[in-house]
Amino acid sequence: MSESLSRAKLIQQAQNKFSFEVTKWNIAIVGQTKSGKSSLVNSLRGLRDTDSGAADVGITETTLQPEPYLLPAAASCVLWDMPGVNTISNPANTYFRNNLLGAFDMLLLVSADTVLEQDVAILQQAHASGSIVAVIRTKSDAHTKNIIYSEELHPPDAARKLAKDAYANMTGVLHKAGIADFPDLYIISNRAMLCQVKSSTLPESLPRTDEESLLVWILEQKPFLVPRIRQRRPPQPRLTRCCGESQGDTPLLTALKGRAEAQQAPFHVPGHKRGGRALDGARQIIGDTAFQHDFTELPGLDYLASPTSVIQQAQQLAATAFGADQTWFLVNGTSVGIHAAVMATCGPGDCLVLARNCHQSAFAAAVFAGCDTWYVQPHCDEQLGVAHGVHPSSLQQALDAARSAGKCVTAVLVVSPTYFGVCSDISGTACTLITCLAVSLALCHLSSYTLL
């Protein structure tokens, strides 16, 4: 009760002090002066720093008072460009209290370099107040370029090193400060974020890092837009970056080879005993090597249902290669994965949007989940007489129609490539979902979309 009253008082003070609307989802952009806070506000709004209506930027401190800016992608969200911390007018020890940061729904702590003492103070107070918070490491383009030149690394390896070093810095500093609950870390370039928001082509010289992930994370927090004191909602879990590993690493394959070369007696399943009891016909077709590497969950080979070592590392590498938040390995085909994905995101009363040419396992999954379905027509090739992938514009129309019909869409299932080998525009589909999610937030529609 005391916490609710305390936050209610903070919100009342914020309403009296500046144009703070409790019916909006208020996001405070905080951090060091000259860390790129104002540029981040501009890029999230799809503006360059020199565009009309952009937040002021300069070589000196330009943000002296909290300034609100509506987020075009979600009219219910307000980005607050806050003054820099640890200045004469905003000392670190009173920054959180004087700027009433406990009244905000979310804090984005911006840092252009290492996590400093004043950043730790903000994180400590944010944690104590139960605030949703993430750390944003800006200027990744400049940092990556410096690593490329100083260590002679290729751009992907330089980006991985930047991610590894940044995460190690943040966790090391917070660990020393006694903070065990580490916030999410997003490494971005404001220029790349602008390209992401505007759906424009990213220059080859500009590396893509966590811009899309940050945008999705901001929008998926599901603001409850009602004029009352909102309950704090913990951030959505996010896959920890696979630091220190490159796409050339093969942790699972290496472990299997090591186990096979050990030449140990197999007192475990499978029953073919590393090929020694396999049928001759099977050995002729598959070969002895496949049987020799066929193991169950043995020490050092991890456990597929709850991986913690080599399988987990391999899945994280796969997620990085696919550009996905998370990847799970499957056995016995993809049907079981489709069942699991649909049942994890949809339930009775929910709606699954899927293409008419989906595999029958998708329809079975909808039956298992007890959810409604809404169909999107794939592109049809009249010359070949076959159905291809789903176009983002068709998905947009299906989502609009489902929302108009009062459906609570919680997931979109896209199968790519099709049986004819045609790939859908997954990136465009994801951007469509982000845009539609922003619209749903603006309309107080509380569902979020998951792309399966």
Side-chain angles (χ1 to χ4, degrees):
M1 180 64 71
S2 60
E3 181 181 349
S4 297
L5 290 175
S6 175
R7 183 156 193 263
K9 185 176 180 180
L10 285 173
I11 291 176
Q12 183 64 51
Q13 292 176 354
Q15 289 176 309
N16 295 334
K17 188 173 182 179
F18 35 77
S19 304
F20 191 94
E21 297 183 51
V22 70
T23 56
K24 300 290 186 181
W25 186 250
N26 294 283
I27 305 171
I29 315 294
V30 301
Q32 311 157 26
T33 298
K34 312 313 301 173
S35 60
K37 300 192 311 300
S38 299
S39 291
L40 175 60
V41 170
N42 292 334
S43 63
L44 286 171
R45 299 171 62 221
L47 298 176
R48 294 182 174 84
D49 291 339
T50 55
D51 287 345
S52 176
D56 291 335
V57 298
I59 59 174
T60 59
E61 184 180 7
T62 55
T63 307
L64 303 178
Q65 296 293 331
E67 296 289 344
Y69 298 91
L70 286 176
L71 184 63
S76 59
C77 295
V78 179
L79 301 174
W80 288 84
D81 190 8
M82 307 300 289
V85 64
N86 208 28
T87 62
I88 295 177
S89 55
N90 282 280
N93 60 336
T94 60
Y95 181 80
F96 195 93
R97 181 177 68 253
N98 289 351
N99 287 284
L100 305 174
L101 296 183
F104 289 83
D105 300 291
M106 182 192 299
L107 305 182
L108 301 183
L109 175 58
V110 180
S111 170
D113 203 342
T114 59
V115 175
L116 302 178
E117 183 178 353
Q118 54 263 32
D119 301 323
V120 174
I122 293 174
L123 290 172
Q124 288 174 326
Q125 294 177 80
H127 181 71
S129 66
S131 301
I132 298 174
V133 61
V135 175
I136 315 300
R137 176 76 175 269
T138 56
K139 305 182 181 180
S140 67
D141 47 350
H143 292 306
T144 302
K145 185 179 294 185
N146 290 337
I147 294 174
I148 291 173
Y149 289 137
S150 63
E151 304 196 24
E152 298 182 351
L153 295 177
H154 293 295
D157 294 329
R160 279 190 289 271
K161 177 173 175 52
L162 172 62
K164 177 182 177 182
D165 293 347
Y167 190 78
N169 165 252
M170 183 188 77
T171 55
V173 171
L174 297 186
H175 180 74
K176 289 181 180 179
I179 301 178
D181 187 12
F182 300 143
D184 283 342
L185 171 66
Y186 294 89
I187 300 175
I188 70 162
S189 158
N190 286 330
R191 290 174 57 207
M193 178 61 79
L194 178 62
C195 292
Q196 179 68 47
V197 172
K198 295 174 69 69
S199 299
S200 56
T201 303
L202 198 69
E204 292 184 2
S205 60
L206 193 59
R208 185 186 299 277
T209 43
D210 293 335
E211 291 81 18
E212 182 176 344
S213 297
L214 173 59
L215 187 59
V216 172
W217 183 85
I218 291 174
L219 293 177
E220 73 179 359
Q221 298 308 310
K222 291 184 179 178
F224 293 87
L225 306 178
V226 291
R228 60 178 175 83
I229 305 303
R230 286 155 287 191
Q231 297 297 316
R232 296 291 190 180
R233 180 176 181 267
Q236 297 295 306
R238 179 169 175 263
L239 180 67
T240 302
R241 184 184 303 276
C242 187
C243 296
E245 297 178 345
S246 71
Q247 290 299 315
D249 294 336
T250 56
L252 180 55
L253 179 60
T254 300
L256 286 171
K257 290 176 64 177
R259 172 65 67 169
E261 292 168 357
Q263 294 296 325
Q264 296 174 339
F267 292 98
H268 53 74
V269 295
H272 59 68
K273 302 306 176 186
R274 302 188 60 204
R277 295 294 181 267
L279 297 175
D280 290 339
R283 295 174 61 183
Q284 291 174 4
I285 295 175
I286 301 176
D288 290 338
T289 302
F291 288 109
Q292 292 167 1
H293 290 78
D294 187 13
F295 295 103
T296 185
E297 293 94 344
L298 299 175
L301 297 183
D302 213 347
Y303 179 49
L304 182 62
S306 182
T308 59
S309 58
V310 293
I311 293 179
Q312 182 186 48
Q313 295 165 16
Q315 290 182 159
Q316 290 177 342
L317 285 167
T320 301
F322 298 149
D325 288 333
Q326 194 156 346
T327 294
W328 290 272
F329 292 159
L330 302 175
V331 293
N332 298 330
T334 57
S335 292
V336 63
I338 291 176
H339 291 166
V342 172
M343 295 178 70
T345 54
C346 300
D350 295 333
C351 182
L352 170 69
V353 173
L354 70 167
R356 277 290 188 182
N357 61 338
C358 272
H359 187 265
Q360 62 182 4
S361 62
F363 302 100
V367 174
F368 296 153
C371 65
D372 296 332
T373 54
W374 196 276
Y375 299 107
V376 54
Q377 185 67 29
H379 169 66
C380 294
D381 190 321
E382 296 181 359
Q383 182 177 358
L384 298 177
V386 297
H388 290 325
V390 173
H391 194 274
S393 61
S394 300
L395 176 60
Q396 175 81 62
Q397 295 173 2
L399 290 171
D400 290 343
R403 186 167 54 241
S404 298
K407 298 294 184 181
C408 179
V409 178
T410 55
V412 173
L413 178 59
V414 175
V415 178
S416 177
T418 66
Y419 280 112
F420 300 102
V422 177
C423 295
S424 295
D425 181 3
I426 300 299
S427 178
T429 300
C431 291
T432 298
L433 295 185
I434 293 172
T435 303
C436 290
L437 175 58
V439 172
S440 71
L441 295 181
L443 296 175
C444 304
H445 193 267
L446 303 184
S447 65
S448 64
Y449 306 139
T450 302
L451 176 59
L452 305 178

